[in-house]
Amino acid sequence: SAAANEGFQPMHFACCGGHLELAQWLASQGASVSAVSKKGRSPRVMAESKGYDELARWLHEQEEQEVQKAAKKKAADAAAELRAAIAAAEAERNASPPSELSPDNALAASIAGLKLSINTYADAAQACNESDDARSALKEARALRDKLVEEQRKASKVSAARKKQQQKELQRKREAEAAAEEAAAAAAT
């Protein structure tokens, strides 16, 4: 049919006819209230154009809820990704002997990835419109950021200790070489 060719979904037909209860039932069965036809028409736009104000208000509320659900899912996904990245960074730190830790190893790469993940997580949390979920998500993001900063501090300390140890070893090597040269010179005379 011509309507099917335009990309209309059952929700479009219900809203075009002003059938609020049918639209509610379709939504309860998983139909999207924000489905868009090939020409860019949403069910709400169709209801508004026909003067079905109560239906249009309900659709608007449902659209906002869909956006909130999507933002919450994005925040939850980003939080899970961030937790996994932190766990991987901690595992890397714990698995590596201190002599292998440096800003150039996988720990540093994990930390860089965590920075990006925190930004994604915070953006997703803010998309929740400062709801309780957003506030708790932002609080969690800040706590994870603080954990990241602590990881960076630990990595820097280990790196500084390693550098200091390398300098001491180099100094001992130079002293040993100088002593060997002195001994060789004394033996030659």
Side-chain angles (χ1 to χ4, degrees), residues 20-150:
L20 175 60
E21 289 180 9
L22 178 57
Q24 290 171 332
W25 181 83
L26 287 169
S28 75
Q29 300 304 305
S32 173
V33 297
S34 57
V36 179
S37 70
K38 290 180 182 177
K39 291 187 178 183
R41 293 188 228 162
S42 70
R44 181 170 52 93
V45 168
M46 296 180 81
E48 288 170 346
S49 71
K50 298 282 187 172
Y52 301 122
D53 296 334
E54 182 181 355
L55 177 56
R57 277 191 299 278
W58 178 82
L59 288 165
H60 180 71
E61 290 170 4
Q62 297 306 304
E63 287 172 346
E64 287 180 356
Q65 288 179 11
E66 280 186 5
V67 168
Q68 289 289 324
K69 280 182 186 178
K72 288 176 186 177
K73 182 175 180 345
K74 184 177 178 182
D77 291 348
E81 183 180 320
L82 183 57
R83 285 187 198 102
I86 286 174
E90 288 174 342
E92 175 68 26
R93 186 193 73 229
N94 294 335
S96 299
S99 62
E100 293 180 15
L101 287 177
S102 73
D104 298 327
N105 72 0
L107 179 61
S110 295
I111 288 172
L114 290 176
K115 287 180 182 177
L116 182 61
S117 296
I118 283 177
N119 291 338
T120 301
Y121 185 66
D123 290 346
Q126 286 178 335
C128 293
N129 279 337
E130 297 301 321
S131 65
D132 288 338
D133 291 334
R135 284 189 286 278
S136 66
L138 284 171
K139 183 178 179 181
E140 187 174 349
R142 288 183 183 115
L144 292 171
R145 180 198 60 214
D146 294 344
K147 191 171 186 174
L148 169 62
V149 168
E150 181 63 21

